[in-house]
Amino acid sequence: MEQDRLRRYGVYQIYPISFCDSDGDGKGDLKGILSKLDYLSSLGIHNLWLSPIYVSPMRDMGYDIADYYAINPIFGTMEDFATLVKEAEKRDIKIIMDLVVNHTSSDHPWFQEALKAPDSKYRDYYIFRKGENGKRPNNWTSSFGGSAWEEVEGEKGTYYLHLYGKEQPDLNWHNEEVYQEVKKILNFWMDKGVYGFRCDVISEIYKTSFEDGKKRKISEPVGAEHFIAQKGCHQILKRLRKEVIQPRHGVLIGELYGVDDKQAQEFLDGELDTLFGFEITHTKSLLRQRIRPKDFKNVLVKWQENVSCNGNYLENHDQHRSVGKYVKRGRDEIAGAKMLLTLLCALKGVPFFYQGQELALVDYNHLSEEESHDIVRKFLEELLKKYAVPPFLRHFIARKFGRDDARGPMPFSSIDGFGFTLPGRKPWQKFYDVSKERNVERGEKDPSSVLSYFRKALSLRQSDDVLSFGEISFLPSDREVLLFLRTYQGKRRVALFNLSDKRKEVPSFPEGKKDLLLSNVYPRKKEDSLLPYESRIYRIDEPFSKNG
Ligand code: GLC
Ligand code: MG
């Protein structure tokens, strides 16, 4: 049932520091989110995922937690949180927290204790190992670059594991106490009315062995075969589901790093409600800014066919904005933005939307090294500096893998501060270049805006069982055109997408009378060809039947 709620309504992700700033310190906060609940509700949002709001030194923007039981003061207080949950509930909006338990912050008292007192029980909360002959314990690398081992200060030859930044030591999931701590955290937040959790890099929590990694795939850290999608990880998730989530009717959403479609499906058997993989975000685009339509199509089809309840997303706080990535900037980008939103609303699984996507926000025109806040970009700039890579190329690469472009302040209006912060105040990260033209106020006034279209597309999905719950099957079409059928209890919908910026022929449809339910371009007399990025959803009757 809970999975049904996700499938029907989808999930909207908020990046709290950049959503809405109520007190003018330039950083978004809980009261800011509270003030926008009516806006979210008017969009049709019923499930809200908040990126981390816990106490954190923010070296990885909150994905480094120093206290799982308290709200980061920049976001507000526990009272603000309680008000948010209560007010959200009134609007039938449920709150989903981010749960980061592959690692903690190095500031967390557990880790501090582990460093101070090697004999304390907290040593075993983390993964400390000795290196032999001045070498690190093994050859594993961190997803953020460099070795995954950091030498302990004052303890020569002893290292701790961090699959992300060195400020993010990995927890030891072989230790039953760690499991019990996490269980306590889940219950604590569910007692506060939280609906569930988006589990950060959950595919990596269990390390089966500490042997050297042999596989070297450029898209994966060295050692991956020892810690990605291990049996131990599945057991932990099954247990959490059984002991906490199921009895309390909550949801678990997993971020699955380094996992393919077949492995992903295994996480849906009594573990997660839905999940996201990474193939969709970087398929064959290592240095290319834009993903080619045919590659986009191939990955989409594969995950739709092999994953029963995929989390479909095109944007989040780690990715570049989707317009510019899946759709070419320029003349047709507004049609493109609408096409991508239609796609999310038409696919099987759970649609995920990221703040600002409903406005078609795009990456910054320019973002200098000094303007960046992202740990990944900073790391890469430093690294490439060491190798004397010329500045232009260095910034290009660091920005391509850096994650600042989706993390800018949300523009709500055209006035000074863009309704994100108070007039005259400086936002923590600069405003998007398009904030004046693409903000909520402008979008609300314009019936042809992406925002107005988003409302239509989402409400169509939510009111339609076929789009929410139907099976999917793909029909033959051009390699840059997507044509699929959704079927549910004898009813059918056909969805058609031109993923390219070129005109295309309309592929042949299954037989039956068609009614156009949604189109992202103005109705045209002749519908015999597809405009760039055109998308349509039809209701289609069974031949010889009258059922709609
Ligand atoms: C996830 C988060 C990302 C974070 C990383 C480490 O991928 O989405 O923002 O840096 O995990 O916690
Ligand atoms: Mg603030």
Side-chain angles (χ1 to χ4, degrees):
M1 280 302 102
E2 302 311 321
Q3 203 178 42
D4 283 358
R5 182 184 167 93
L6 296 178
R7 283 204 252 222
R8 182 184 292 281
Y9 294 126
V11 178
Y12 184 95
Q13 181 192 354
I14 282 189
Y15 196 63
I17 198 168
S18 288
F19 191 64
C20 182
D21 170 28
S22 70
D23 58 1
D25 68 350
K27 294 171 178 161
D29 42 52
L30 294 178
K31 284 206 172 94
I33 300 174
L34 186 68
S35 73
K36 297 297 176 194
L37 281 182
D38 285 332
Y39 165 66
L40 294 167
S41 179
S42 79
L43 294 178
I45 305 307
H46 290 278
N47 300 304
L48 205 54
W49 150 31
L50 307 181
S51 273
I53 53 172
Y54 315 88
V55 166
S56 158
M58 301 291 272
R59 293 192 195 98
D60 188 19
M61 299 309 296
Y63 286 89
D64 46 335
I65 299 174
D67 185 349
Y68 290 92
Y69 298 102
I71 304 284
N72 187 333
I74 68 168
F75 297 130
T77 62
M78 198 55 95
E79 215 184 316
D80 296 338
F81 184 74
T83 312
L84 181 66
V85 172
K86 203 173 83 205
E87 288 299 315
E89 198 62 59
K90 282 189 196 157
R91 294 159 177 86
D92 190 21
I93 296 175
K94 295 194 186 281
I95 307 283
I96 296 168
M97 296 286 271
D98 218 307
L99 181 77
V100 189
V101 290
N102 175 67
H103 44 266
T104 70
S105 161
S106 49
D107 286 10
H108 195 289
W110 299 337
F111 191 67
Q112 285 301 316
E113 221 18 66
L115 287 184
K116 255 192 283 165
D119 294 334
S120 94
K121 70 167 193 174
Y122 293 109
R123 262 272 150 150
D124 198 37
Y125 272 42
Y126 296 90
I127 301 167
F128 287 87
R129 287 284 185 285
K130 292 243 184 297
E132 276 166 36
N133 316 322
K135 289 216 306 234
R136 298 189 154 90
N138 65 31
N139 68 352
W140 294 5
T141 58
S142 142
S143 283
F144 286 173
S147 168
W149 296 96
E150 180 73 9
E151 193 164 37
V152 179
E153 238 183 70
E155 277 185 62
K156 222 178 154 4
T158 302
Y159 300 79
Y160 66 85
L161 180 74
H162 60 91
L163 293 183
Y164 290 85
K166 65 176 173 8
E167 305 83 356
Q168 296 162 295
D170 278 49
L171 284 166
N172 174 19
W173 278 90
H174 290 256
N175 183 347
E176 171 68 16
E177 277 187 65
V178 167
Y179 176 84
Q180 293 302 335
E181 296 275 11
V182 170
K183 191 172 154 183
K184 213 168 97 192
I185 295 166
L186 293 181
N187 278 316
F188 174 86
W189 290 100
M190 292 195 92
D191 287 345
K192 298 214 174 292
V194 156
Y195 184 40
F197 303 88
R198 171 270 187 192
C199 310
D200 190 63
V201 293
I202 202 69
S203 49
E204 294 176 297
I205 58 173
Y206 192 87
K207 286 79 181 170
T208 302
S209 86
F210 290 90
E211 281 157 45
D212 276 347
K214 297 222 168 56
K215 283 201 270 170
R216 279 176 200 271
K217 264 172 85 187
I218 184 133
S219 57
E220 267 178 16
V222 177
E225 69 268 36
H226 301 295
F227 57 76
I228 286 184
Q230 305 291 301
K231 220 166 134 199
C233 176
H234 289 293
Q235 283 164 350
I236 292 161
L237 285 172
K238 284 203 166 69
R239 210 175 146 196
L240 280 176
R241 165 143 230 116
K242 219 171 115 211
E243 295 178 7
V244 188
I245 299 297
Q246 203 147 304
R248 310 191 63 157
H249 307 289
V251 292
L252 273 191
I253 301 167
E255 183 198 29
L256 301 184
Y257 185 70
V259 167
D260 67 23
D261 50 313
K262 302 255 164 50
Q263 291 169 304
Q265 181 59 33
E266 293 174 21
F267 283 87
L268 291 173
D269 183 12
E271 300 175 29
L272 303 170
D273 290 284
T274 184
L275 51 88
F276 1 87
F278 276 75
E279 249 185 294
I280 196 75
T281 67
H282 58 227
T283 175
K284 296 192 182 163
S285 72
L286 216 48
L287 279 182
R288 213 179 292 126
Q289 289 296 24
R290 202 154 50 84
I291 289 176
R292 285 181 303 203
K294 63 170 185 176
D295 296 330
F296 184 31
K297 172 172 173 172
N298 289 340
V299 184
L300 268 173
V301 171
K302 193 163 70 141
W303 282 71
Q304 284 289 304
E305 287 184 337
N306 296 331
V307 182
S308 56
C309 191
N310 192 43
N312 300 307
Y313 73 100
L314 299 170
E315 285 191 16
N316 64 35
H317 63 291
D318 293 331
Q319 305 300 330
H320 289 269
R321 291 285 180 177
S322 57
V323 172
K325 182 168 175 180
Y326 303 94
V327 152
K328 196 174 176 179
R329 295 286 318 267
R331 195 193 58 195
D332 298 310
E333 73 179 65
I334 292 301
K338 293 177 183 172
M339 181 275 287
L340 296 177
L341 289 165
T342 319
L343 184 60
L344 292 172
C345 293
L347 289 172
K348 185 180 85 167
V350 178
F352 281 81
F353 309 100
Y354 178 65
Q355 68 178 49
Q357 192 175 359
E358 74 272 34
L359 305 173
L361 292 183
V362 287
D363 289 357
Y364 294 101
N365 294 338
H366 177 80
L367 192 85
S368 68
E369 192 179 345
E370 296 70 40
E371 287 165 327
S372 162
H373 294 89
D374 176 31
I375 189 172
V376 173
R377 170 144 184 201
K378 286 185 196 190
F379 178 88
L380 288 173
E381 294 277 4
E382 288 312 313
L383 183 78
L384 298 171
K385 236 179 256 174
K386 263 192 233 149
Y387 289 99
V389 174
F392 174 77
L393 187 61
R394 181 178 101 215
H395 298 323
F396 175 81
I397 297 173
R399 193 174 155 197
K400 157 93 198 186
F401 295 99
R403 305 171 299 175
D404 298 293
D405 281 287
R407 298 180 177 183
M410 174 87 180
F412 284 96
S413 69
S414 305
I415 60 166
D416 185 21
F418 294 108
F420 163 73
T421 184
L422 307 179
R425 301 300 174 88
K426 208 170 155 295
W428 78 283
Q429 179 163 301
K430 73 175 180 179
F431 289 114
Y432 286 108
D433 305 273
V434 293
S435 302
K436 252 208 141 64
E437 304 77 48
R438 299 187 191 175
N439 59 57
V440 172
E441 189 184 51
R442 290 276 297 256
E444 300 275 12
K445 284 189 193 140
D446 176 4
S448 70
S449 69
V450 176
L451 182 64
S452 302
Y453 181 82
F454 176 59
R455 286 206 169 95
K456 266 190 275 181
L458 187 58
S459 99
L460 174 65
R461 180 194 179 86
Q462 295 179 346
S463 59
D464 186 2
D465 287 353
V466 189
L467 293 177
S468 296
F469 309 124
E471 282 310 316
I472 193 163
S473 54
F474 291 89
L475 305 171
S477 57
D478 180 279
R479 64 179 189 174
E480 298 185 328
V481 171
L482 200 56
L483 177 66
F484 58 82
L485 199 62
R486 304 282 319 266
T487 48
Y488 186 71
Q489 297 180 341
K491 295 179 189 161
R492 302 190 300 166
R493 308 287 177 254
V494 181
L496 175 60
F497 300 86
N498 180 358
L499 302 177
S500 82
D501 63 335
K502 295 179 266 330
R503 264 177 190 263
K504 293 278 176 176
E505 262 176 49
V506 178
S508 57
F509 280 75
E511 258 182 77
K513 183 180 156 289
K514 300 195 304 276
D515 277 318
L516 188 63
L517 299 176
L518 186 70
S519 147
N520 71 335
V521 295
Y522 283 106
R524 292 172 298 127
K525 285 215 183 73
K526 281 174 84 180
E527 287 181 4
D528 54 347
S529 77
L530 289 172
L531 294 178
Y533 300 125
E534 180 164 355
S535 59
R536 306 177 194 164
I537 300 178
Y538 294 95
R539 174 184 19 236
I540 178 164
D541 288 346
E542 295 289 337
F544 318 117
S545 104
K546 286 198 195 87
N547 299 334

